[in-house]
Amino acid sequence: EAGIFMTGLARLKASGCEVREVSLPDFDLFRTVHHVIGSVEASSSCGKYDGVRYGHRTASAKNWNEMYLKTRSECFGLTLKTYLFQGAYFQFENYAAFENACRIRARLAKAANDLFAAVDALAFPARHRGSQGGETGIPALYDACALTLPANVLGLPALQIPGFVLEGDTDYGLQ
């Protein structure tokens, strides 16, 4: 995978960009931080999509409670429901994990800001070599987008350049 990415970096150099390697030692923490904070934020935000004021409303309910339950059942797939339940767990049953994730996010933001004092941009592949799609569930989703998590966790702008890092017919992109 590193060889494919290095080809993309060589293309950046050839186009006039100065490229140098920097270190982000806690990179692996982005996945956990995003999982915890993202699921809590999603759970909190999706609460309003209950069919009462926002979103789809089931047509087959006999009472308000059944309408609420059926609407949620019809609107959200299993992966999203799982993610939302995990967010509710961190929000209401294990709030300490959420607080720790927020502290770690602040530490990651400081490390990124320190890097931006030395460089104008960070470059990553857009996806891993092993993420070919077709897998389902939250772990597969995180495997597919693991390299995009720093921008999401830190609230940074990101640009994905398709076709920049290719291996045969597979496009790994560059961000």
Side-chain angles (χ1 to χ4, degrees):
E1 186 168 321
I4 298 166
F5 180 58
M6 296 308 283
T7 301
L9 294 181
R11 288 185 70 193
L12 283 176
K13 282 183 186 180
S15 67
C17 295
E18 179 184 336
V19 177
R20 66 184 184 138
E21 187 173 333
V22 294
S23 176
L24 192 55
D26 290 330
F27 184 86
D28 291 340
L29 293 175
F30 282 105
R31 182 179 181 134
T32 302
V33 167
H34 186 278
H35 185 91
V36 174
I37 295 174
S39 66
V40 169
E41 289 177 351
S43 178
S44 177
S45 293
C46 283
K48 65 184 172 189
Y49 294 102
D50 56 8
V52 177
R53 291 189 60 196
Y54 297 101
H56 161 80
R57 181 182 290 190
T58 189
S60 64
K62 296 175 186 157
N63 57 49
W64 184 89
N65 193 44
E66 188 176 299
M67 182 275 302
Y68 184 81
L69 294 173
K70 281 188 171 189
T71 294
R72 286 285 175 96
S73 178
E74 292 172 8
C75 289
F76 300 138
L78 182 60
T79 300
L80 182 56
K81 286 179 195 174
T82 303
Y83 196 61
L84 297 175
F85 280 126
Q86 289 171 356
Y89 169 75
F90 291 124
Q91 193 173 8
F92 300 112
E93 296 294 324
N94 191 359
Y95 194 74
F98 176 69
E99 290 178 316
N100 286 335
C102 290
R103 280 194 274 292
I104 294 168
R105 177 173 56 180
R107 191 175 83 217
L108 291 169
K110 182 186 179 327
N113 285 335
D114 291 347
L115 286 177
F116 285 124
V119 298
D120 294 326
L122 300 175
F124 299 102
R127 69 178 192 159
H128 285 291
R129 178 176 259 166
S131 61
Q132 299 301 323
E135 301 93 2
T136 59
I138 293 171
L141 180 64
Y142 272 98
D143 288 344
C145 67
L147 296 170
T148 65
L149 294 177
N152 292 314
V153 168
L154 301 176
L156 298 172
L159 173 67
Q160 197 271 345
I161 307 168
F164 210 80
V165 180
L166 297 168
E167 183 180 50
D169 291 338
T170 304
D171 184 356
Y172 293 98
L174 182 73
Q175 60 167 329

